[in-house]
Amino acid sequence: MRPDLADVLAAAQVIAGVADATPLVPSPHMSAICGHDFLLKLENMQPIGAFKLRGALNAVAGVQEAAGVTCCSTGNHGRGVAYAARARGIRAVICMSELVPQAKVDGIRALGAEVCIIGRSQDDAQAEAERLVREEGLTEISPFDDPKVIAGQGTIGLEIMAARPDLEVLLVPLSGGGLAAGVAMAAKAIKPSIRVVGISMDRGAAMHESLRAGRPVEVEEVASLADSLGGGIGLKNRLSFPMCRDLLDEVVLVTEDDIYHAMQVLYYEDRIVAEGACVVGLAAVLTGKVSVAGPTATIVTGRNLDMDMFTRIITGQDVALGDTVIEGKRYGT
Ligand SMILES: *Cc1c(COP(=O)(O)O)cnc(C)c1O
């Protein structure tokens, strides 16, 4: 049931030609701070603007053409499933609630998926996806707790280790853990001594809380600059939880202020536009929350962010997030 390196190698064949083998580029600024090469894996350059295309393509490949696929993510997973299904000529139905902003609905539709708008909560959308599975024979694709999805994300680890066999530390943004599980499994199969650190925001970090509790637990979801890292891991989690438990050397948490600053660093020093979720690895190094001893890489996981909010951050303005305000600070002051 647990995917292994052979599954990742097979996934690499399956996704080739649709998902890109993205560049792994040095960050001179971060390298100078670390005293070692610090590398950025640019998954923000994937066709959908995020790495989730990899897992979605590998999962969709296992589904009968006639049936079709469904999920209820309005974020990068929904985009990945929509794009992967269209690339393979398979029907995709993405379920979402009436409260989802029109821009997100339009974005998913533009990728060729059917959008099913139902109810007023994520739970209603989830119930509809489950109905489509029961009554119409669609296959639901999990964003992280699926062996094909994990193997697909693992291809990132394969590419990184092929490019830099001397790598000693991998810093991986962590939410549901499909990315961290796949990347850690592939990287450690190739180089057992590599240290893999999962990084989340310090409010509402479901995997971190679950690892501490020793079983999947629920956490309250809180607004974060790293919005792609929000959400639970599922109380019935079968794969990404035990894999993260066994494969991650450590999990580190960063604050919203840390993320705000690291977004400025990635923008001004490396000229990269990326989501808050992408910079948690930089933030952990910049704040000394992880120390790196050797060549280090992190994954710039996606670029699908609210540009108004991004503009506020890079110009040093305050950002309102749910019940809190992050105090602005101009970069370099
Ligand atoms: C989904 C996602 C993550 C986290 O991946 P998990 O497999 O859920 O841990 C990180 N960054 C971005 C941009 C994402 O879309």
Side-chain angles (χ1 to χ4, degrees):
M1 186 51 138
R2 257 193 213 203
D4 60 16
L5 185 61
D7 298 306
V8 180
L9 291 165
Q13 301 286 319
V14 168
I15 72 173
V18 183
D20 289 331
T22 55
L24 181 69
V25 301
S27 166
H29 178 77
M30 291 299 297
S31 300
I33 287 174
C34 293
H36 301 280
D37 281 355
F38 190 97
L39 302 146
L40 306 168
K41 178 71 169 161
L42 298 185
E43 288 296 300
N44 55 320
M45 292 173 72
Q46 288 293 354
I48 62 154
F51 74 88
K52 287 213 174 60
L53 182 56
R54 296 177 185 256
L57 274 168
N58 198 39
V60 163
V63 172
Q64 290 294 320
E65 246 174 71
V69 293
T70 186
C71 72
C72 63
S73 157
T74 60
N76 288 327
H77 179 58
R79 298 170 74 96
V81 169
Y83 193 96
R86 184 170 64 179
R88 299 298 187 221
I90 290 177
R91 178 179 178 218
V93 184
I94 315 296
C95 303
M96 47 188 93
S97 91
E98 288 161 12
L99 303 180
V100 170
Q102 191 61 36
K104 288 203 169 188
V105 178
D106 294 344
I108 299 265
R109 259 198 201 115
L111 294 172
E114 292 168 44
V115 171
C116 171
I117 296 181
I118 189 145
R120 297 190 63 79
S121 73
Q122 184 72 7
D123 288 348
D124 292 339
Q126 178 63 39
E128 176 63 10
E130 283 163 17
R131 191 194 65 78
L132 289 169
V133 170
R134 264 191 332 270
E135 295 178 13
E136 298 189 24
L138 273 68
T139 300
E140 186 178 358
I141 303 204
S142 159
F144 49 80
D145 198 26
D146 175 298
K148 296 267 187 200
V149 170
I150 292 171
Q153 323 304 32
T155 59
I156 298 170
L158 214 56
E159 290 170 20
I160 292 175
M161 297 314 293
R164 287 298 295 258
D166 61 330
L167 205 71
E168 293 194 13
V169 184
L170 253 168
L171 306 175
V172 187
L174 175 65
S175 176
L179 175 67
V183 167
M185 176 264 286
K188 289 193 171 187
I190 294 165
K191 182 171 181 173
S193 68
I194 194 159
R195 188 168 144 234
V196 184
V197 182
I199 308 164
S200 303
M201 66 288 174
D202 65 353
R203 305 194 305 164
M207 183 61 83
H208 178 253
E209 290 301 325
S210 300
L211 291 170
R212 275 182 21 168
R215 65 186 159 78
V217 295
E218 269 173 347
V219 294
E220 197 194 330
E221 198 166 339
V222 190
S224 170
L225 290 178
D227 56 329
S228 285
L229 299 185
I233 70 164
L235 290 176
K236 298 206 183 92
N237 189 299
R238 302 170 301 151
L239 274 178
S240 66
F241 172 74
M243 288 182 73
C244 284
R245 181 191 62 207
D246 297 349
L247 292 164
L248 292 181
D249 294 282
E250 197 185 343
V251 174
V252 169
L253 305 181
V254 294
T255 68
E256 297 300 317
D257 286 333
D258 299 343
I259 295 170
Y260 183 105
H261 176 65
M263 287 176 82
Q264 292 183 330
V265 170
L266 191 62
Y267 179 75
Y268 285 105
E269 302 295 346
D270 298 292
R271 303 289 198 267
I272 292 174
V273 176
E275 295 180 39
C278 307
V279 300
V280 292
L282 280 77
V285 171
L286 289 166
T287 55
K289 289 176 182 170
V290 303
S291 54
V292 296
T296 300
T298 193
I299 303 164
V300 180
T301 47
R303 61 156 191 253
N304 296 316
L305 41 54
D306 179 321
M307 287 305 282
D308 290 335
M309 182 183 279
F310 186 69
T311 304
R312 295 188 71 80
I313 293 170
I314 60 167
T315 54
Q317 298 175 67
D318 293 354
V319 174
L321 262 188
D323 56 356
T324 55
V325 174
I326 303 168
E327 211 178 301
K329 191 169 184 295
R330 279 194 85 88
Y331 185 61
T333 61

